[in-house]
Amino acid sequence: MQLSDAQRLDWLRLIRSEGVGPRTFRGLVNRFGGAGAALKALPDLAKARGKPIRVATKAEAEREIAAAARLGARFVAMGEAEYPLPLQATADAPPLICLRGDAACLKRPAVAVVGSRNASAAGLTFTERLSHALGHEGLVIVSGLARGVDARAHKAALQSGTVAVLAGGHDRIYPSEHEELVARILDSGGSIVAEMPMGWEPRGRDFPRRNRIISGLSLGTIVVEAARRSGSLITARFALEQGREVFAVPGSPLDPRAEGTNDLIRDGATLCAAPEHVMTVLTPLIGGPAPETGAEDAADRPEPALYWDEIDFSAEPVTAMAAEPPPPPFEEGPPEPARRDDRAILLELLGPSPVPVDALARQAGVSARVAQSLLMELELDGKIWRHPGGAVSLR
């Protein structure tokens, strides 16, 4: 498949419209036969819900494409030749990725290396040796450009190939001191991938969104050091959901930075203390079909949807077309603010028994959007567990 310029513009407009995430995008395109037809239907779908939504304009999409082009980036659609097949096989793959660099990197077998931002000296040394050795074996190293383990993994794989996945837009590198590292990755033939719009400053929940792409690009995810509240554990969870391998580097039980990785090993992750521990598992998978991820059951798995404010249009009737409301440029509307005590209320309502998120929101007297935002903070702080069916409990 190869999109025309007009189709690519429609795809970008649709995914940038309010309430449209990866699942809603696929549902709308399947329902109406294309992104252009879905865009025309959106205002009436919103009217049927009794609430207007912002539809991204053609001018906004054109400005974003032009801004990306000035940085040497281009938009690649799912199904096109440059779109990485392992990512396409995941249930919540982004319909469009914005890509800088050599797409050939995305065609080679890859492994993700993630871990603590405040890694120990031993952890950084092991990351460097492991990433260099796996690169020598022909694997591309994928990571998230964060401080600590991520940056060391990228640097060790510059000569063999590395892919950095951003949480924000290509013109909003985070952390900013890694702009030089981005340039080195590009100069060495690597790739930089982003899902979020140009000009987008990464926020808290954008990092889990990024993490599913890191794991989705890879045959397996290696966690080097991770405390129990580390975002690296979210990457490992996504890898499991995507049917990918999970490896963990063991550490001292006296080091809090090893608690998360030791827990992963106890829960069944493959122990990784040398490159051959990874290659023994991944070599039979190289060149094989993409793992089965249960994409057909994605609607029954609510956890990833918490990272988007998606609207379910599936049951809404279509009426006569209505005029689009004038949208503000690029950015989402500001999120509904949480009251200062909402987080404390949620914690007080939670216990060891799993509770559905919607029931918890009703008990706390907050909207589902506020509840989801606060629960994401609590998860990153290591205070809650997530359970199948969208339920949560205290750790």
Side-chain angles (χ1 to χ4, degrees):
M1 182 187 81
Q2 182 67 33
L3 296 185
S4 67
D5 290 344
Q7 288 173 322
R8 199 177 310 280
L9 202 64
D10 287 341
W11 277 51
L12 184 58
R13 287 184 61 199
L14 184 58
I15 195 60
R16 296 293 189 246
S17 293
E18 181 184 5
V20 178
R23 297 184 190 186
T24 304
F25 182 98
R26 283 194 291 272
L28 288 169
V29 169
N30 290 337
R31 178 176 175 182
F32 295 103
L39 285 166
K40 294 177 182 177
L42 268 181
D44 285 305
L45 293 174
K47 182 185 290 185
R49 292 174 52 85
K51 181 182 179 181
I53 65 169
R54 179 178 66 82
V55 178
T57 67
K58 181 179 178 180
E60 289 172 0
E62 288 173 337
R63 286 197 298 271
E64 185 173 354
I65 289 174
R70 286 193 293 272
L71 284 179
R74 69 268 191 198
F75 288 91
V76 179
M78 184 185 297
E80 292 190 308
E82 287 190 326
Y83 197 98
L85 290 177
L87 181 60
Q88 184 170 309
T90 64
D92 292 289
L96 282 172
I97 57 173
C98 191
L99 173 64
R100 292 174 72 188
D102 190 349
C105 236
L106 300 173
K107 296 298 182 183
R108 293 168 49 197
V111 64
V113 179
V114 297
S116 174
R117 288 172 170 80
N118 300 307
S120 66
L124 292 175
T125 299
F126 184 79
T127 297
E128 183 173 357
R129 293 177 179 176
L130 179 69
S131 299
H132 185 270
L134 294 176
H136 184 72
E137 293 289 341
L139 292 175
V140 170
I141 302 300
V142 181
S143 200
L145 205 71
R147 300 180 180 97
V149 167
D150 289 26
R152 188 62 62 94
H154 287 306
K155 291 174 183 177
L158 286 172
Q159 299 307 312
S160 55
T162 186
V163 175
V165 184
L166 307 180
H170 276 284
D171 53 350
R172 294 294 186 271
I173 301 300
Y174 181 86
S176 59
E177 64 259 30
H178 285 171
E179 290 181 0
E180 181 182 356
L181 178 55
V182 166
R184 293 178 65 190
I185 291 172
L186 294 173
D187 289 343
S188 63
S191 301
I192 312 293
V193 174
E195 175 186 22
M196 303 306 288
M198 296 294 292
W200 188 271
E201 294 282 358
R203 306 165 305 170
R205 68 175 180 173
D206 296 326
F207 293 95
R209 291 179 179 178
R210 175 206 62 182
N211 292 354
R212 90 195 193 284
I213 298 176
I214 293 172
S215 59
L217 288 168
S218 311
L219 294 171
T221 292
I222 306 168
V223 185
V224 177
E225 284 185 343
R228 286 202 172 103
R229 64 182 184 179
S230 171
S232 301
L233 302 183
I234 298 177
T235 312
R237 185 178 58 141
F238 277 127
L240 288 172
E241 290 177 354
Q242 294 163 347
R244 312 299 164 87
E245 300 295 329
V246 175
F247 304 86
V249 177
S252 168
L254 300 179
D255 188 348
R257 290 170 294 199
E259 290 177 345
T261 48
N262 289 342
D263 286 348
L264 286 174
I265 294 169
R266 185 187 64 199
D267 293 339
T270 300
L271 184 148
C272 172
E276 53 265 31
H277 297 160
V278 178
M279 295 308 302
T280 299
V281 175
L282 295 188
T283 298
L285 304 179
I286 294 174
E292 294 292 333
T293 62
E296 68 277 4
D297 300 323
D300 298 325
R301 294 190 289 105
E303 288 87 347
L306 297 179
Y307 306 128
W308 294 272
D309 296 321
E310 294 202 72
I311 299 173
D312 182 9
F313 294 111
S314 57
E316 303 296 351
V318 182
T319 59
M321 297 300 172
E324 295 178 14
F330 275 176
E331 302 168 0
E332 290 183 354
E336 179 182 348
R339 299 191 304 268
R340 179 172 297 179
D341 58 342
D342 285 342
R343 180 179 164 122
I345 291 172
L346 288 180
L347 282 172
E348 290 173 1
L349 291 171
L350 285 169
S353 299
V355 179
V357 172
D358 57 350
L360 181 65
R362 286 195 298 270
Q363 291 288 338
V366 299
S367 70
R369 184 175 183 179
V370 168
Q372 290 166 357
S373 175
L374 292 173
L375 288 171
M376 172 55 60
E377 294 175 9
L378 292 172
E379 182 179 14
L380 292 175
D381 287 343
K383 296 185 180 298
I384 64 170
W385 291 109
R386 290 198 182 272
H387 301 271
V392 293
S393 68
L394 281 181
R395 281 182 179 265

